[in-house]
Amino acid sequence: MKNAVYSVRMRAAEGAAHEKGGRHISGAEKIVPFDQLAQTIQEMLHRAMNHPLGEPDFINIKVERLEPGQIRYIAALPLQTVKIKNHEQALLCARQLLTACGIQPTAIERALELLARGPAPGGQNMRGAVIMDAASGRRLEPDPWRGVRVSRMDYTPRAAAELSRLLEPLGLDHFRVREALALATKVIYAGTLAEICCSDDPHYTTGYVSSQRFGYVRIPHLKHASFKGGRVFFVRAREINLERYISRLQEEPVLIVQN
């Protein structure tokens, strides 16, 4: 037991403990050995109770034992930050990156609209992500309240240390950057054409576009003060098995190794 590895997942919400109606506040993902379980759970609880979006009335922390053969090891996407002066430039940059990845203008504008007004019904924040057909802009996720939440990903200890060494001189060694890169890496690995994301935290305005072609591209000022935030995964609907794709995003454990 003490040599086992565990997936630890946290979700915090306000207003309701069930899937629909509650406002998503915070989430976190880790894959850790047995001797780090207690500390990881404590850190996640502290994070849930001290989030800028407010104090939750529902916190769910799940611990799941993983078998070594379940885990896939993948390399992190290359990371870069573009120099952007304002929100208009950020939107232009995001549109150009997505267009170069083969996303059609209809889908791009639909995605930006959802990030602005909130992707869940009634313009609310959504726990997970939108899955969108890159050609038509049609939403494909089964539940528009919940979306699809990417799960079971983390870094190996060596990769985490190397990433911190590279990010620290840039002032980017923050859990937001580390966790977003891990998530984006798994999303692209699962067969996603491209992703666009901006935080639901009103104080964090840097978003990103990720893809196999360009890697993980941080875009300052992508989130406007009026944006609700969220994430959209673009896929070619005719080329994927949606059920298998969602299963990979939600169920397949991955650990990110050094490039």
Side-chain angles (χ1 to χ4, degrees):
M1 179 177 180
K2 292 188 177 181
N3 295 323
V5 176
Y6 294 83
S7 165
V8 187
R9 307 190 299 280
M10 179 273 286
R11 179 201 169 210
E14 177 189 49
H18 49 78
E19 293 289 339
K20 297 182 180 181
R23 183 171 71 106
H24 175 71
I25 288 181
S26 181
E29 299 272 344
K30 296 288 289 183
I31 295 176
V32 298
F34 176 82
D35 60 5
Q36 293 179 21
L37 264 181
Q39 179 183 345
T40 300
I41 292 170
Q42 185 177 26
E43 290 172 351
M44 286 188 178
L45 181 61
H46 180 269
R47 178 165 159 183
M49 295 297 296
N50 295 274
H51 198 278
L53 287 181
E55 183 177 328
D57 52 29
F58 169 75
I59 301 173
N60 185 12
I61 298 178
K62 293 184 179 180
V63 178
E64 174 190 18
R65 179 172 175 172
L66 301 177
E67 298 300 327
Q70 291 180 272
I71 301 173
R72 299 291 176 263
Y73 294 85
I74 61 177
L77 294 173
L79 180 151
Q80 59 179 313
T81 302
V82 294
K83 293 183 178 181
I84 295 293
K85 294 181 180 179
N86 53 50
H87 179 61
E88 289 70 29
Q89 287 187 0
L91 290 178
L92 176 61
C93 177
R95 288 185 175 105
Q96 290 174 334
L97 288 169
L98 293 172
T99 298
C101 292
I103 316 302
Q104 295 302 305
T106 298
I108 295 172
E109 297 311 313
R110 176 62 172 150
L112 292 174
E113 176 192 345
L114 292 174
L115 296 183
R117 69 170 176 82
Q124 300 298 312
N125 293 115
M126 195 163 67
R127 176 185 173 191
V130 172
I131 301 175
M132 183 174 288
D133 178 33
S136 67
R138 179 168 58 94
R139 292 178 66 163
L140 305 173
E141 74 277 9
D143 185 344
W145 278 99
R146 182 182 184 274
V148 173
R149 182 174 176 183
V150 184
S151 243
R152 299 173 175 84
M153 67 276 181
D154 203 349
Y155 299 91
T156 64
R158 183 176 179 182
E162 177 64 11
L163 182 63
S164 289
R165 185 186 71 80
L166 295 173
L167 293 180
E168 187 172 6
L170 304 174
L172 298 177
D173 191 19
H174 188 277
F175 76 87
R176 291 188 186 279
V177 177
R178 294 192 300 268
E179 292 180 5
L181 176 60
L183 187 147
T185 296
K186 181 177 181 182
V187 167
I188 299 304
Y189 164 76
T192 309
L193 192 58
E195 174 192 357
I196 184 170
C197 171
C198 59
S199 175
D200 55 9
D201 183 343
H203 305 292
Y204 191 72
T205 60
T206 298
Y208 69 83
V209 169
S210 63
S211 64
Q212 188 68 47
R213 180 174 181 181
F214 297 110
Y216 175 84
V217 184
R218 300 178 67 250
I219 308 176
H221 308 295
L222 183 60
K223 179 180 171 65
H224 189 268
S226 64
F227 271 38
K228 288 291 186 67
R231 60 182 80 245
V232 178
F233 303 158
F234 296 98
V235 299
R236 292 191 175 100
R238 294 182 179 180
E239 298 179 8
I240 65 163
N241 179 309
L242 186 62
E243 183 177 351
R244 189 179 306 155
Y245 170 71
I246 292 175
S247 176
R248 291 191 74 185
L249 292 172
Q250 296 187 151
E251 305 296 335
E252 185 176 41
V254 301
L255 280 173
I256 297 171
V257 299
Q258 286 179 280
N259 285 318

